[in-house]
Amino acid sequence: MKCTVCRGPAVIDLRRHNANFCPEHFLRFCRDQVVRAIDDHGMMAPGQRVLVAVSGGKDSLALWDLLVELGYDAEGMVIGLGIGDYSDASTAAAVAFAEQRGLRLHRIDLRGEYGYDIPTASAVTRRVPCSSCGMSKRHLIDKAALDGGYDVVATGHNLDDEAAVLLGNVLHWQTEYLGRQEPVLAERPGFPRKVKPLVRLAERETAAYCVLRGIDYMVEECPMAAGNRHLRYKAALDEIEAASPGTKHAFYFEFLARAADRFRPEAAAAQEGLTPCTSCGAPTTGEVCAFCRLVERVGGREPVPVELVRPGRRRGKARKAGAAT
Ligand code: AMP
Ligand code: FES
Ligand code: ZN
Ligand code: ZN
């Protein structure tokens, strides 16, 4: 297998681009894809202060590395979710990355600062862990960005993530979420600007990027997410992609080009009538926001060991299926 650019020995084949790359040209390909995503969607400008939400996994560490390489002023933030060894190792990977490169990493610990963790939240609310986890992460990432005066928050969502979320939103016709499923979310009162610079890269590519750059990332996936809907949609798309390379890219980018606009009014309507949470000031539909209600309900409870919370098992009533990321 030869590199499409230099004819030297290739280390990776990218079927959807009908190309193979040697290490040097693969790294260049990754940078080019990120630059293109940033330019095409007007994500951010050089000189702006960027907060990278870092999980310790391949995507967010690759993202942080790429943004720093491209000259952005990018600091990181990691949230300790309290999901046993998984969270400890994830935070450790983020801390090691930052220390090795002399980058600034902000750390937030759910249990230390808010008195709960995700296994306990899941057990008390009797909902799938990803529901309180996603809500907590969104709230704390937004808060950190606003409090720290950052111009933009960057997350490590990749093409596989976005295509799988899109599939879920289409399967259940979550029109409000479809109107918000774009690689850039503009700043609004109470919400920072949010961007996803990895949307043109697949999961396999961010993993290869980390290996080639010597980035030690947390390889294991979250034990509490095992068997969830999002992973099933990913597996279904993987099967289609294997038979027809390029399908995920077309599914997501043709949605952006041809359909996303149509759903914007629904997303905008859902944003109307938001008022500041009486407890923390974050925008909410009710009086007290979902995060503050969760802290009130779960804060200070004894931790529930991860093993007692069966991964992927649905608890309580069916939830809305889609997700806005
Ligand atoms: P996930 O929702 O786990 O697929 O993660 C999507 C993105 O959210 C990641 O690429 C990160 O940018 C961010 N993220 C996930 N987990 C954390 C965490 N524990 N702390 C900070 N950011 C996170
Ligand atoms: Fe949130 Fe697993 S990382 S439930
Ligand atoms: Zn080459
Ligand atoms: Zn609140």
Side-chain angles (χ1 to χ4, degrees):
M1 192 165 78
K2 287 184 180 161
C3 172
T4 308
V5 182
C6 70
R7 314 305 298 162
V11 291
I12 188 164
D13 65 316
L14 302 189
R15 289 179 62 207
R16 78 174 184 290
H17 289 282
N18 207 6
N20 309 314
F21 293 114
C22 68
E24 180 194 338
H25 290 117
F26 176 67
L27 295 177
R28 191 201 284 178
F29 162 84
C30 293
R31 273 179 222 128
D32 290 349
Q33 294 300 317
V34 168
V35 168
R36 173 142 180 217
I38 292 172
D39 289 351
D40 282 358
H41 303 284
M43 290 184 179
M44 52 196 168
Q48 288 191 318
R49 290 185 66 225
V50 185
L51 183 65
V52 185
V54 187
S55 66
K58 57 190 179 321
D59 302 309
S60 48
L61 288 183
L63 171 64
W64 199 2
D65 187 70
L66 280 155
L67 292 181
V68 170
E69 281 279 295
L70 291 170
Y72 285 95
D73 174 10
E75 295 181 1
M77 75 161 287
V78 63
I79 305 165
L81 301 164
I83 307 175
D85 296 345
Y86 166 76
S87 287
D88 295 342
S90 304
T91 301
V95 169
F97 178 90
E99 280 176 358
Q100 279 158 16
R101 288 161 173 77
L103 297 170
R104 188 150 177 227
L105 175 70
H106 304 268
R107 289 176 65 170
I108 295 173
D109 183 61
L110 269 191
R111 183 148 282 286
E113 291 171 51
Y114 296 94
Y116 75 98
D117 52 39
I118 297 304
T120 313
S122 172
V124 172
T125 58
R126 303 175 65 79
R127 288 192 186 163
V128 287
C130 303
S131 128
S132 49
C133 179
M135 189 270 285
S136 303
K137 283 193 287 202
R138 277 193 297 278
H139 180 92
L140 293 170
I141 291 170
D142 289 358
K143 177 171 161 43
L146 294 171
D147 290 352
Y150 292 88
D151 297 302
V152 57
V153 172
T155 55
H157 296 94
N158 58 38
L159 176 60
D160 299 75
D161 293 323
E162 293 307 291
V165 172
L166 176 59
L167 179 60
N169 287 339
V170 167
L171 287 176
H172 300 275
W173 289 114
Q174 299 280 3
T175 48
E176 178 197 329
Y177 292 151
L178 285 168
R180 257 191 283 154
Q181 218 206 317
E182 306 209 39
V184 176
L185 287 179
E187 183 180 359
R188 284 163 291 129
F191 296 104
R193 182 176 181 78
K194 284 190 174 170
V195 301
K196 299 172 184 171
L198 298 186
V199 283
R200 300 187 62 86
L201 290 175
E203 215 155 88
R204 178 172 166 262
E205 291 146 26
T206 59
Y209 179 90
C210 286
V211 171
L212 292 173
R213 291 279 295 160
I215 298 171
D216 243 332
Y217 63 91
M218 171 69 183
V219 177
E220 266 126 75
E221 300 290 339
C222 171
M224 306 203 86
N228 77 6
R229 242 186 255 240
H230 181 67
L231 293 178
R232 285 205 300 281
Y233 297 150
K234 269 192 170 174
L237 286 170
D238 282 345
E239 222 172 280
I240 301 172
E241 181 77 16
S244 313
T247 303
K248 281 184 206 178
H249 182 101
F251 181 46
Y252 180 61
F253 284 96
E254 293 304 315
F255 160 75
L256 292 182
R258 302 194 209 184
D261 272 356
R262 303 174 192 222
F263 300 104
R264 266 194 210 133
E266 301 219 21
Q271 292 287 319
E272 277 168 22
L274 293 180
T275 51
C277 165
T278 50
S279 172
C280 75
T284 177
T285 46
E287 224 170 84
V288 178
C289 78
F291 180 80
C292 290
R293 278 185 274 130
L294 183 68
V295 174
E296 171 75 29
R297 200 166 159 202
V298 190
R301 301 257 191 153
E302 285 296 302
V304 172
V306 181
E307 307 81 67
L308 291 183
V309 182
R310 275 197 258 159
R313 190 164 163 251
R314 178 187 291 275
R315 290 180 191 76
K317 280 191 276 179
R319 304 297 310 152
K320 263 190 161 184
T325 52

